[in-house]
Each structure stands twice: as structure tokens, then as C-alpha cells.
Amino acid sequence: MRFSRNVSSLEPSATLALSARARRLREEGHSIVDLSAGEPVYGTPNFAAEAGIDAVHAGRLGYPPNQGVPELRRAIVDYLAETTRSADLDPAQVLVSAGVKQALFNCLFCLAGPGDEVLVPTPCWTSYRPQVRLAGAEPVLVETTWEEGFHLDPERLEAARTERTRVLLLNSPNNPSGAVYDAELLGAIAEWSGRHGVWLLSDEIYRRLRFGDGPAPSLLDVPAAPERTVVLDGVSKAFAMTGWRIGFAAGPRELIGKAADLQSQTTSGAAAPSQYAAAAAFGRREEREAVIADFLERLGGTRALAVEGLADVPGLEIRAPEGGIFLWTRVTGSTDSADLADELLGAGVACVPGEAFESPGHLRFNLAVDRETLEEGIRRVRAFFEQG
Ligand SMILES: Cc1ncc(COP(=O)(O)O)c(C=O)c1O
């Protein structure tokens, strides 16, 4: 079949494809420990689910305002004021979309097009490169390394910059590496981008899931962050609400307005009941913080289990993540991690190969699973590598 040039280089999401494959194998009767998808198993917090159900019962089921219901945009602004140094965001600066995925695409599409370049530090989330391409712009990959803890080196950014550089995509805590950028590094990046007029799109979806001292620094914490800064976050990870499909972008009013115009011509925004559920998740402070503390404790437990259980596996190097929900590992002696992930699936464990994150030679394992699942996964991974 002939498709348009718009989608000539489009491939389906590698991570979604892998989980679908794992599910299929399971349905055929195979025993598969699925550590592939970036989906927490903790389940939607009751108080947020109830708010969504209440919205349905109250008949709040008409088209919501395209940019997001006022209750949710207010709750997001208040949440950001409480948990970052952003004091004066206005709800007009917030766009609610069906997940960070859509919010990010809306902003990218408005900022970068044919002839523009977008800097993408690698390893990176699978959808960044395809989204840049869909916008017609050119992704320029900027490597971060295992040896440097995957912390972005501003000098490498500068080396990759050209006159056509429009946007830098940031993601800390990082999927898949688990790297967290400290305030100093974020400050240096912000200073660099301000100097060169490069937009910063900061995907902070794992910000609250940091091991150690409170949330990971946000670009909103950087005192002199340039005007051209957009922060993206949502309910999928910290609240385990993936299926509700709520994410947001917060940034300059003009860009948010344009991204909302784009959304008005594509989806008319996110589902109304989901927005009320998300308003509760962000807005009800005590319940929200209790949920995040509980998730973090469970995640800290599985992280410790994986770090200990896989520490001395031959052929696999591991690095304890600073944040996020993944264990990122390096395969020694092979760069074809796609093949390896395939073989590992045959041995009963689904994980995602580094190729999906522009970083062959690595494997990513989801840690936001229950302990028993992870224990069995570790047992199988060990057995697989020990057999060579
Ligand atoms: C870095 C990153 N950004 C965005 C998303 C997508 O989030 P959402 O479910 O809000 O679309 C994910 C999900 O895996 C992610 O890992």
C-alpha cells in the first residue's frame, strides 16, 4: 500500500511492540516474566479513580475545554508551585493532553519543522526520534556515556549545535539510563540554551521517582531558566495512571496557545473523566504524597533486589539508577542487544534492547513490578547469562 511521505520513516513504538509480543506468547501458554513495558503495576490510587468515577456519575461527559478543564490546570499550577520553584505560572500556560506523548508532540510540531534540528541526548526514550521526524525536523543525537553516568556534557551539546538547532529534548530522570541531572548541570544547560536561543523541552515524567533526596531537580527550579522552556509531566508514572492518558506541557503562553490550536484540530483534548481523576491526583496533597511515598518505597525495594541479584552476572554490567523505574544494563562482548533480547524472551523474560533507545549493546528492565515477578525474572536472567 502506498502511504504519504509524512509517515515514510515511521515505525511502531518498539516498547509497545515488545509488550504486545510478550502478551501474545503468554496467551499461547508460555511462561513469560514481562519486564519490558514502562508501566508501573501499582494500580491507580483509589482517591483518583473515585474522582474520575464521580465525574462520570455527575455527567461531566461533554467536550471538555480543548486546553484542559480549569480544575485540572489550576491543580497542576498549584502542584508545580508546591513542588518546584515555579511561583507565578498561570493556568493559561498549561496545556493538558492525552499523555506526555501527545503534549510533547504538540509542542515539538509547533517549534520544529523541515530545515530545523532537534538535539536528542542518548540513550533516549523511544518516541523522541520518531516524533521529531514526524514533525519534519532532523533529530541530532548527542551521546551520553556509561562512564559519565549518562550525565549530559554541555560541551558535547555545543559541538552538536548548528544554526538550525531549534530544540533540545531533556529527560531527567532519564528513561532508560536512570540518570538524574543535578541543579548545577540543569543550570549550565539552561544558560547554554538561553545564550543560543534554543528551546528546552524538559520531559520530567519521572521527576518524583528519584531515589534519595526528594524529587529530581526540575528546570522550573533553575533560577534563570530562559523564557523558551517547556516542562512536561503527567500521571502515568508517579501515579501509575497510564491508561487514563493525561499529561501536560507548561511553558510560555504563546507556544502553549499554538500547541492548543494544534490539539483543537486533532483530538480536541483529553477525555473529561480522566481530567477530573488527574485533578484529584495533583490536587489532593496529602493523599498524593502518601501514594508517591508508597510507590517510591516499593520501587526502592525492587531496585535493591535487582542491583543485588544481578550484580555479578557474567556478561552483564549494571548501574543502580538514580531515578525512574528502570534498570539499565550493559552487555559485555556484544553490541547486538536486539538479538539478545529475542533470545532472552525465548528463555522467558521480556526486556527492551538498547536499539530501541538509540543505544545498542544494552538491555532495559522495568523495576515497577512486584517483588515475586522480579525475583523470578532475576533467576531467569542469571540462568540465561550463566549458560552463556
Ligand atoms: C520519558 C518518557 N516520556 C513520556 C512517556 C509517555 O508518557 P505518557 O503515558 O504520559 O504519554 C514515557 C512513557 O514511557 C516516558 O518514558
Side-chain angles (χ1 to χ4, degrees), residues 41-88:
V41 292
Y42 311 135
T44 296
N46 275 341
F47 76 96
E50 290 297 337
I53 292 164
D54 287 349
V56 172
H57 287 314
R60 292 167 161 175
L61 294 168
Y63 283 122
N66 165 59
Q67 200 174 328
V69 300
E71 292 87 337
L72 175 54
R73 283 188 290 138
R74 179 82 256 163
I76 289 168
V77 163
D78 291 345
Y79 169 72
L80 291 174
E82 178 199 322
T83 61
T84 72
R85 291 200 190 152
S86 81
D88 48 9

Side-chain angles (χ1 to χ4, degrees), residues 19 49 126 182 193 202 250 360:
S19 340
T126 37
D182 63 19
S193 73
S202 183

Side-chain angles (χ1 to χ4, degrees), residues 73-91 93-94 204 207 215-227 229-233 248-252 282 288:
R73 283 188 290 138
R74 179 82 256 163
I76 289 168
V77 163
D78 291 345
Y79 169 72
L80 291 174
E82 178 199 322
T83 61
T84 72
R85 291 200 190 152
S86 81
D88 48 9
L89 271 176
D90 188 284
Q93 293 177 261
V94 174
E204 302 185 356
R207 181 172 67 91
S218 162
L219 259 184
L220 294 171
D221 295 324
V222 174
E227 161 80 6
T229 295
V230 181
V231 163
L232 301 119
D233 197 354
F248 69 82
F282 285 119
R288 180 231 300 152

Side-chain angles (χ1 to χ4, degrees), residues 38 98-101 125 128 171 175 203 205-206 236-237 245-246:
V100 167
K101 204 176 242 184
W125 181 47
Y128 292 154
N171 175 217
N175 173 9
D203 178 347
I205 195 163
Y206 298 103
S236 287
K237 311 295 173 166
R245 308 305 306 125
I246 296 292

Side-chain angles (χ1 to χ4, degrees), residues 340-356:
L340 200 63
D342 237 28
E343 288 173 32
L344 201 46
L345 190 57
V349 180
C351 65
V352 185
E355 281 81 350

Side-chain angles (χ1 to χ4, degrees), residues 40 43-45 48-49 235-246 274 277-278 281:
T44 296
V235 296
S236 287
K237 311 295 173 166
F239 304 105
M241 291 171 66
T242 46
W244 297 82
R245 308 305 306 125
I246 296 292
S274 293

Side-chain angles (χ1 to χ4, degrees), residues 264-303:
S264 79
Q265 299 292 12
T266 53
T267 62
S268 302
S274 293
Q275 295 200 43
Y276 290 103
F282 285 119
R284 305 237 294 253
R285 180 178 178 160
E286 255 179 51
E287 288 139 299
R288 180 231 300 152
E289 292 305 310
V291 161
I292 293 175
D294 177 45
F295 284 5
L296 255 179
E297 197 182 318
R298 291 156 76 176
L299 202 51
T302 47
R303 170 185 184 256

